[in-house]
Amino acid sequence: MAESFDVIVIGAGPGGYVAAIRAAQLGFATACIDDWTNSEGKPAPGGTCTNVGCIPSKALLQSSDNFEHAGHGFAEHGIQVKDIAIDVERMLSRKDKVVRQNNDGILYLFKKNKIRFLHGVGSFAGGAPGTWQIKVSGPGAAELQTKNVIIATGSRPRALSGAPFDNERILDNEGALAIPDVPKRLGVVGAGVIGLEMGSVWRRLGADVTILEALPVFLGIADEQVASEAWKQFTRQGLKIELGVNITRVTRGDDVTVDYTDAGGKAQSAHFDKLIVSIGRVPYTGNLGADVVGLKLDERGFVSVDGDCRTNLPGVWAIGDVVRGPMLAHKAEDEGVAVAERIAGQHGHVDFNTVPWVIYTSPEIAWVGQTERDLKSAGVAYRSGSFPFSANGRARALGDTRGFVKFVADAKTDRILGMHAIGPMVSELIAEGVVAMEFGAASEDIARICHAHPSLTEAVREAALAVDKRTLNI
Ligand code: FAD
Ligand code: NAI
């Protein structure tokens, strides 16, 4: 007889494993199924984020940042470092170790929360509302039954047409995180989040990096001033970014040839040792057995859900990259928590207006809420204020005064509508903007709160003061 659960989560990425923990905390008999297998054939829960996304990319960003500092940053502190070399194999094995620690951490959390973890592919085998039947194939083969299903099957990289990934020459995110030697000529298609982060990693390590972007504007999703500062910094670092390109052909031989027309319509041909293709991701529902139960997908392949992550099937929910909205780990996690709480009859809630974005380049880029462009096109009257890190004592002591913090606030009520930043540690500073917005704060509130000195957070306060044109330190 099929083992019975209250909640079965399919997928143990950040959305799925967090949903399973919250469901277990709420007292539900919970199972979580995930098919990710590591190079030793062992289960590796954590999904894209842990295995080939957030965590390994940040490990490599840190290693390459250390390398760049040792080569170019330490001298001004009077620290002499001679004969600096990068051992790529060791850097990659450190990254793999960090990934393993996270996989193990999730397995431990499953155990601690008494969640039944099954390693394998989970799919709908039939059933009806109240008794969905789920089949697991693979090492943890089983037949299960459940009242509620949470689909958290994530996303996969999108390939360029006519250029399938081989992870030798044409790399997806997994390949981009495992290049065994620093390539001499690295091409990147797509100047989005992965392109900029992975392009930065390999440029710091010595690759000649060219990024080819289809859109005529750089970082169109970010605040315009932030994007323009980022462009200045990245091109100064040596990243070559070409905008408005139209790739016509990719040919794989001893190297990779990319034929394209440039922004001026001129035919161009570029040769690379490796080509990272990072042109966005697509939802993944293969193997799920959506047809068996009539689960509705939208025209782009996402599981169709309402604002509360309900699918068309009673008791079946979907969260994370496999549904609409930004493809971010923390968005997936928050949806997972909210869905578990809704199943328990509580009022789980995700505020999509305050989901922060971070790009972990150097300088880092972070934002939350609306940009000036958004507000102008919505006809909202606003005031803005910004403050440069060049006038912040801690940034000077750190030796990193690039960038600024900016607030936009409603012209009438002063309620904060967005925070946009580029500079040192803005991945951490953005949390202040998120909290402020969640509490409905005005820029005046931030301006009146005591911030430690010397700290980068003072730039946040000064940007809030700047909304009212009363900065103190500039
Ligand atoms: P996933 O993490 O994709 O997990 C889905 C899991 O379900 C996988 O393990 C998959 O194998 C499994 N699965 C699928 N189908 C089945 C099935 N039928 N049965 C069993 N298991 C199944 N986001 C951030 O917020 N910050 C970052 O810094 C960041 N960096 C990134 C860097 C890179 C290179 C990439 C590619 C992505 C990055 N992201 C980042 C995005 C982030 O990884 C995703 O938004 C996040 O992983 C989505 O979580 P999820 O739980 O929806 O899906
Ligand atoms: P992306 O959507 O960030 O960027 C893709 C870029 O490729 C866009 O600028 C797009 O205009 C361009 N593009 C699309 N088709 C093209 C073509 N044919 N030729 C040239 N350029 C083309 O997608 P990316 O970088 O693949 O990342 C996927 C997602 O993963 C991100 O949107 C983000 O949600 C998530 N992610 C988040 C990170 C973070 O939070 N720090 C880090 C990395 C990924």
Side-chain angles (χ1 to χ4, degrees):
M1 204 177 117
E3 209 177 331
S4 193
F5 291 91
D6 298 318
V7 178
I8 291 181
V9 185
I10 307 180
Y17 90 77
V18 167
I21 292 173
R22 187 71 189 115
Q25 282 176 346
L26 289 162
F28 294 119
T30 306
C32 185
I33 310 164
D34 190 88
D35 61 356
W36 207 293
T37 307
N38 67 21
S39 54
E40 288 151 20
K42 301 233 169 76
T48 301
C49 175
T50 300
N51 292 295
V52 292
C54 328
I55 300 298
S57 61
K58 267 79 250 178
L60 295 190
L61 279 157
Q62 190 59 50
S63 297
S64 59
D65 198 45
N66 289 347
F67 180 67
E68 183 148 274
H69 273 292
H72 305 288
F74 285 0
E76 70 159 328
H77 293 267
I79 304 168
Q80 292 174 12
V81 194
K82 291 209 178 92
D83 302 326
I84 300 165
I86 182 76
D87 179 343
V88 175
E89 197 180 333
R90 190 146 176 200
M91 177 185 75
L92 295 180
S93 77
R94 173 188 177 272
K95 172 212 64 169
D96 292 340
K97 196 170 148 202
V98 173
V99 168
R100 287 291 150 86
Q101 286 166 342
N102 281 272
N103 297 141
D104 291 347
I106 296 166
L107 286 169
Y108 163 78
L109 289 170
F110 282 151
K111 227 184 196 165
K112 183 176 169 238
N113 287 284
K114 301 192 173 44
I115 295 161
R116 172 104 143 86
F117 174 67
L118 298 110
H119 184 209
V121 174
S123 59
F124 284 97
T131 51
W132 297 110
Q133 286 157 19
I134 304 291
K135 183 178 160 202
V136 183
S137 15
E143 282 177 16
L144 315 175
Q145 186 172 296
T146 181
K147 289 187 197 122
N148 298 281
V149 182
I150 304 177
I151 300 166
T153 48
S155 63
R156 296 277 151 108
R158 189 154 76 86
L160 267 175
S161 84
F165 295 115
D166 57 26
N167 276 342
E168 262 181 49
R169 294 272 175 212
I170 303 176
L171 316 177
D172 61 13
N173 53 299
E174 190 165 352
L177 289 160
I179 304 177
D181 298 298
V182 179
K184 245 177 129 191
R185 303 161 304 169
L186 176 67
V188 179
V189 185
V193 197
I194 296 181
L196 292 172
E197 289 188 355
M198 296 317 299
S200 295
V201 165
W202 295 105
R203 188 223 27 97
R204 291 171 191 166
L205 300 177
D208 182 11
V209 179
T210 303
I211 306 184
L212 302 171
E213 165 61 45
L215 291 179
V217 287
F218 178 60
L219 264 188
I221 54 168
D223 167 85
E224 273 175 63
Q225 222 180 324
V226 167
S228 130
E229 177 67 17
W231 174 270
K232 194 172 93 191
Q233 296 296 342
F234 297 158
T235 50
R236 188 178 283 167
Q237 288 164 6
L239 279 182
K240 289 177 218 130
I241 311 171
E242 275 204 57
L243 302 176
V245 309
N246 179 18
I247 294 175
T248 48
R249 194 167 53 173
V250 176
T251 321
R252 214 206 108 140
D254 288 340
D255 60 9
V256 189
T257 304
V258 180
D259 295 319
Y260 63 97
T261 48
D262 65 19
K266 207 165 146 213
Q268 303 280 2
S269 199
H271 301 274
F272 303 111
D273 301 305
K274 305 269 181 194
L275 183 72
I276 297 173
V277 176
S278 46
I279 56 169
R281 298 177 62 83
V282 289
Y284 182 66
T285 52
N287 300 331
L288 191 57
D291 292 348
V292 176
V293 285
L295 176 74
K296 202 170 148 210
L297 307 182
D298 72 14
E299 63 287 353
R300 292 189 300 154
F302 290 95
V303 176
S304 289
V305 286
D306 67 9
D308 285 346
C309 295
R310 280 186 188 84
T311 70
N312 63 314
L313 304 174
V316 180
W317 310 72
I319 60 169
D321 279 13
V322 80
V323 303
R324 82 286 170 267
M327 288 187 169
L328 295 173
H330 41 283
K331 175 264 193 185
E333 290 177 23
D334 284 11
E335 284 182 333
V337 168
V339 163
E341 292 177 352
R342 282 172 199 139
I343 292 172
Q346 300 181 1
H347 299 281
H349 177 67
V350 182
D351 185 351
F352 290 101
N353 297 315
T354 55
V355 174
W357 277 84
V358 176
I359 307 180
Y360 295 82
T361 42
S362 175
E364 292 183 341
I365 296 169
W367 70 90
V368 59
Q370 290 167 282
T371 61
E372 293 193 57
R373 193 178 43 238
D374 297 334
L375 296 170
K376 274 183 198 144
S377 66
V380 176
Y382 67 91
R383 295 193 301 166
S384 75
S386 61
F387 188 82
F389 284 106
S390 57
N392 174 274
R394 183 75 194 280
R396 286 199 203 110
L398 280 173
D400 190 356
T401 53
R402 298 167 297 172
F404 59 89
V405 180
K406 180 203 263 191
F407 276 109
V408 284
D410 188 282
K412 243 198 228 145
T413 64
D414 193 34
R415 189 182 176 127
I416 296 170
L417 301 173
M419 174 177 155
H420 306 272
I422 175 166
M425 299 307 283
V426 299
S427 57
E428 303 292 333
L429 300 186
I430 198 65
E432 184 165 0
V434 176
V435 172
M437 286 181 68
E438 275 296 334
F439 281 84
S443 76
E444 177 79 13
D445 292 321
I446 301 293
R448 289 189 179 276
I449 291 172
C450 186
H451 287 66
H453 176 77
S455 73
L456 298 172
T457 65
E458 288 172 291
V460 177
R461 181 194 205 174
E462 290 275 9
L465 280 162
V467 173
D468 198 36
K469 301 204 174 13
R470 53 190 178 97
T471 50
L472 297 165
N473 282 287
I474 201 162

